[in-house]
């Protein structure tokens, strides 16, 4: 069953670059909107996490504690805490306002590729190179995992959470769903290394980016392969993919610097544009508006919007002012 598809024309899709955020000293490995789209978090090769207010064009804070590159970051729905992970094999739990590390969760035997909070911001789940998913209790003073899932046969690259399930995507070619209520595991084999998974907005489907330059859409209930999206290049790097906020289109980065949009149902490429000079590592779609952010190993974060009519970033104060950190493109 396809996710609930709301009306969104191709003309509404982002395609016009409106600004560039500069500040990271090296490749940016992930850039994420927070839950209401008011802030951006980014992380990268320079071992830092950066918080931005795009509406005012302000770089708010830099978080430094990781000993190696930071590969993923996620913030709670109330914006008070964030979690991060990376090459130093640890999961960090931060206070957003003070920049203080509340806790360091140690236990992974290799680099950590992805992190997510649960709905209640009480648990962090991490995906590791050591072929495991690990769950950590943010309310406890213990730094030991409360759950270890180690049935994968290769590195776990990405994780998604529902109220009752943990879903992991792995280089072993599987997307595995663990129902924590009854202790059941369901494994869907895609036959190709999975380096990114994301969930549709209605929760019915999982999108999986694979290293054969194909993004695949799976029915969460049955595991049925609903569609395949091709045209981009993804053979060597961990690249993000996601659905737009109406579930009408699929979007993802490409190793040639392009961002692609596909029609959800017929999988045709409806739009593409060059976003960066190098690999597009991350894409994040605004939860409400027709705009997105992208990041790249070229060290920049870029904001894009559509170029038609009044429905664009400028209407909700995305017209950023010149500062030493930002450039504005119109």
């Amino acid at each position: 069953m396809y996710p609930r598809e709301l009306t969104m024309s191709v003309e509404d899709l982002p395609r016009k670059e409106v600004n560039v955020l500069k500040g990271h000293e090296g490749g940016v490995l992930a850039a994420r909107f927070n839950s209401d789209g008011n802030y951006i978090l980014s992380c990268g090769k320079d071992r830092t996490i950066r918080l931005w207010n795009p509406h005012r064009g302000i770089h708010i804070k830099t978080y430094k504690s990781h000993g190696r590159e930071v590969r993923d970051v996620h913030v709670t729905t109330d914006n008070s805490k964030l979690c991060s992970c990376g090459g130093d094999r640890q999961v960090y739990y931060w206070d957003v306002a003070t920049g203080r590390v509340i806790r360091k969760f140690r236990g992974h035997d290799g680099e950590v590729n992805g992190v997510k909070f649960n709905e209640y911001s009480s648990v962090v789940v991490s995906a590791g190179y050591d072929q495991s998913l690990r769950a950590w209790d943010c309310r406890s003073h213990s730094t030991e995992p409360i759950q270890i899932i180690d049935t994968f046969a290769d590195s776990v690259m990405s994780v998604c959470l529902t109220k009752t399930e943990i879903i992991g995507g792995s280089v072993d070619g599987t997307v595995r769903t663990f129902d924590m209520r009854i202790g059941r595991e369901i494994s869907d084999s895609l036959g190709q290394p999975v380096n990114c998974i994301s969930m549709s907005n209605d929760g019915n489907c999982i999108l999986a980016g694979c290293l054969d330059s194909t993004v695949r859409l799976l029915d969460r209930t049955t595991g049925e392969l609903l569609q395949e999206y091709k045209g981009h290049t993804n053979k060597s790097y961990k690249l993000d993919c996601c659905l737009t906020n109406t579930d009408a289109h699929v979007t993802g980065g490409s190793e040639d610097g392009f961002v692609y949009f596909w029609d959800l149902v017929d999988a045709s490429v409806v739009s593409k544009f060059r976003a960066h000079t190098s690999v597009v590592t991350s894409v994040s779609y605004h939860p409400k508006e027709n705009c997105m952010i992208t990041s790249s190993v070229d060290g920049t974060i870029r904001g894009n919007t559509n170029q038609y009519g009044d429905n664009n970033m400028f209407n909700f104060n995305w017209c950023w002012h010149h500062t030493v950190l930002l450039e504005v493109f119109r």
Side-chain angles (χ1 to χ4, degrees), residues 54-129:
H55 305 289
R56 297 179 61 193
I58 293 175
H59 169 249
I60 301 170
K61 202 172 190 66
T62 298
Y63 302 85
K64 295 181 180 180
S65 191
H66 278 277
R68 294 183 63 186
E69 80 279 358
V70 188
R71 297 188 178 183
D72 199 12
V73 62
H74 192 216
V75 67
T76 56
T77 52
D78 66 0
N79 302 315
S80 67
K81 305 293 189 298
L82 65 85
C83 61
S84 61
C85 66
D88 57 10
R89 305 184 178 190
Q90 299 180 77
V91 176
Y92 287 66
Y93 178 51
W94 306 75
D95 182 83
V96 171
T98 65
R100 181 176 62 91
V101 176
I102 301 170
R103 203 159 298 122
K104 296 179 183 179
F105 297 116
R106 300 179 175 93
H108 278 287
D109 295 328
E111 294 87 349
V112 189
N113 299 312
V115 285
K116 284 286 191 306
F117 281 109
N118 68 345
E119 182 182 5
Y120 309 105
S121 305
S122 58
V123 173
V124 171
V125 180
S126 54
Y129 187 78

Side-chain angles (χ1 to χ4, degrees), residues 126-264:
S126 54
Y129 187 78
D130 60 4
Q131 306 179 15
S132 76
L133 287 166
R134 294 173 187 247
W136 316 85
D137 188 350
C138 298
R139 298 166 299 186
S140 166
H141 291 292
S142 171
T143 58
E144 297 297 315
I146 57 174
Q147 179 86 34
I148 300 175
I149 300 168
D150 57 3
T151 55
F152 295 91
D154 210 327
S155 176
V156 190
M157 300 301 292
S158 187
V159 59
C160 289
L161 303 179
T162 70
K163 289 184 178 180
T164 59
E165 298 162 314
I166 300 174
I167 307 163
S170 172
V171 177
D172 69 9
T174 65
V175 174
R176 298 174 191 248
T177 302
F178 304 88
D179 190 320
M180 309 311 292
R181 297 169 301 180
I182 58 177
R184 181 182 64 177
E185 173 186 335
I186 299 174
S187 179
D188 298 311
S189 179
L190 301 184
Q192 296 292 336
V194 179
N195 68 10
C196 171
I197 59 171
S198 61
M199 195 175 303
S200 60
N201 295 283
D202 64 7
N204 290 333
C205 297
I206 284 285
L207 200 63
C210 302
L211 285 177
D212 61 344
S213 299
T214 305
V215 177
R216 293 173 168 87
L217 186 70
L218 303 176
D219 185 289
R220 280 223 315 120
T221 303
T222 66
E224 178 187 358
L225 177 63
L226 298 175
Q227 192 54 274
E228 296 183 339
Y229 308 93
K230 300 181 179 183
H232 65 305
T233 302
N234 185 194
K235 298 181 179 296
S236 305
Y237 289 82
K238 183 180 189 297
L239 308 185
D240 278 352
C241 58
C242 65
L243 285 101
T244 57
N245 52 30
T246 63
D247 282 336
H249 297 93
V250 171
T251 184
S254 179
E255 291 175 7
D256 59 6
F258 277 80
V259 169
Y260 280 73
F261 286 92
W262 294 271
D263 181 89
L264 174 75

